[in-house]
Amino acid sequence: MKNMIGLIGHPVAHSKSPVMHNAIFNQMKLPFVYHAFDVKSDELGQAVSGMMALGFKGFNVTIPHKVAVMDYLDEIDEEALVIGAVNTVVSRNGKWVGYNTDGKGFVLSLKTILSKPLQDSNVLIIGAGGAARAIYTSIVKSGVRRIDLANRSIDKAEQLIALNHSHQFSDAFSIDSAADKICEYDIVINATSIGMSPDVEAIPISLHHLKRGTVVSDIIYNPFQTKWLTIAKEKGAIVQNGIGMFVEQGALAFEQWTGLKPDVDLMNEIVTKELGGTKEC
Ligand code: NAP
């Protein structure tokens, strides 16, 4: 019998996780199968205990359950607690243990395009929502010279800095103030949903003052290359879309469930093909 892995969210029909994980389970001849389940908020508790009763090995959690699911878990990893959200759950000795692989996945993906260490870099993150929280927490943990946050609601950015006790190398700004000083950063990350399909003409922050050679990363992958990334590329930036983060967070979850490392390049190829993109971005 195969080990079941679930994905719970609402909606989930668009998710590329099932095709990505099942392809790797097949390639590695592992007795696992991954299936997406559309679970509404008022059915979350039943879904989580149902998966335990049915012997699931683990599951992924996506919008809107990443925070609420924490109430139904037995243990939560320290980094996920600081982030305040869980995207990966593993069954260990009859207990559900929650992790957050989004931030770590982002950092792994970012490192593939950096020419100097994060520890020597000045970073600006746009956003202070769930994804930004994960990315900020993981970058702080991995070590960085300076990391600032810009968000529409500045109070959320300030809370995130307080939560990480990182005032000595972090400040919160409005989007407009950050745009004026964007040339001070080596790495600029969009962790908002601005520019995501169908609102593809919107950009999260002006790149007017961007300096050539800045690393510009947009965690959105639908569209494959956002308008913001296109502008960044035209201004001589080194750009990256959200596929790398998506693949790496999935690879870390895969390791939690199976104890094995998947072929990340193959995962990237599968997701890129599914989204109709090219590997270049
Ligand atoms: P979220 O928790 O809802 O946060 C949304 C963020 O966007 C907040 O900072 C919010 O600002 C900002 N925002 C939204 N609409 C805005 C507007 N009209 N003007 C100004 N700011 C606006 O969402 P999330 O879970 O962090 O996800 C954010 C994006 O990341 C989504 O596009 C998602 O698909 C993507 N994502 C990608 C990956 C990946 O693997 N590549 C993983 C996770 C998420 P306020 O705080 O002021 O509301």
Side-chain angles (χ1 to χ4, degrees):
M1 203 176 102
K2 293 205 172 178
N3 294 295
M4 285 291 291
I5 307 285
L7 165 67
I8 54 170
H10 180 69
V12 283
H14 64 284
S15 173
K16 304 301 172 207
S17 291
V19 68
M20 177 173 82
H21 285 291
N22 284 325
I24 305 297
F25 291 148
N26 288 338
Q27 183 229 14
M28 294 175 75
K29 298 191 173 28
L30 297 175
F32 283 80
V33 64
Y34 188 110
H35 192 82
F37 298 92
D38 196 315
V39 175
K40 298 198 181 76
S41 293
D42 59 353
E43 292 162 346
L44 181 60
Q46 283 168 280
V48 173
S49 39
M51 285 191 289
M52 181 59 86
L54 292 169
F56 276 47
K57 184 68 195 143
F59 58 96
N60 272 142
V61 189
T62 190
I63 288 169
H65 304 317
K66 285 186 182 185
V67 176
V69 76
M70 294 170 83
D71 288 345
Y72 303 101
L73 306 180
D74 303 296
E75 286 169 28
I76 297 171
D77 162 76
E78 194 191 323
E79 190 168 326
L81 275 176
V82 177
I83 294 167
V86 159
N87 77 328
T88 299
V89 180
V90 189
S91 167
R92 295 200 202 288
N93 308 318
K95 288 184 173 175
W96 282 137
V97 186
Y99 299 87
N100 192 309
T101 67
D102 279 334
K104 282 197 194 93
F106 177 82
V107 171
L108 283 172
S109 153
L110 181 69
K111 282 182 173 170
T112 64
I113 59 158
L114 291 185
S115 54
K116 70 173 180 180
L118 256 177
Q119 285 83 350
D120 301 334
S121 302
N122 295 330
V123 179
L124 172 67
I125 299 180
I126 323 299
R133 285 209 305 268
I135 291 169
Y136 179 85
T137 304
S138 290
I139 293 181
V140 166
K141 210 167 174 200
S142 80
V144 66
R145 186 159 69 188
R146 163 139 222 107
I147 181 162
D148 291 332
L149 287 160
N151 196 42
R152 174 176 61 181
S153 324
I154 302 187
D155 57 321
K156 281 201 209 164
E158 283 165 348
Q159 281 163 20
L160 184 49
I161 294 168
L163 213 67
N164 280 273
H165 309 290
S166 44
H167 290 102
Q168 66 280 21
F169 51 85
S170 275
D171 269 317
F173 295 104
S174 69
I175 305 271
D176 285 346
S177 309
D180 288 342
K181 60 203 282 332
I182 207 162
C183 60
E184 293 175 16
Y185 298 98
D186 306 297
I187 303 169
V188 179
I189 301 158
N190 174 35
T192 74
S193 45
I194 303 171
M196 191 169 76
S197 181
D199 202 5
V200 296
E201 287 303 313
I203 61 167
I205 188 169
S206 162
L207 294 175
H208 187 69
H209 298 297
L210 190 80
K211 66 173 187 242
R212 279 191 84 75
T214 306
V215 170
V216 175
S217 178
D218 196 333
I219 68 165
I220 292 172
Y221 51 82
N222 180 20
F224 201 73
Q225 182 171 292
T226 56
K227 180 174 179 178
W228 190 66
L229 272 195
T230 305
I231 297 170
K233 212 170 176 179
E234 283 163 8
K235 291 187 79 81
I238 297 150
V239 302
Q240 178 179 57
N241 69 7
I243 300 264
M245 173 182 177
F246 177 74
V247 165
E248 294 287 1
Q249 64 75 31
L252 291 168
F254 185 103
E255 272 186 72
Q256 290 285 359
W257 301 318
T258 65
L260 300 166
K261 280 191 187 297
D263 180 343
V264 170
D265 289 337
L266 178 59
M267 289 166 93
N268 203 312
E269 237 171 72
I270 291 161
V271 178
T272 301
K273 194 171 154 208
E274 280 287 313
L275 291 165
T278 55
K279 269 204 92 177
E280 184 198 314
C281 184

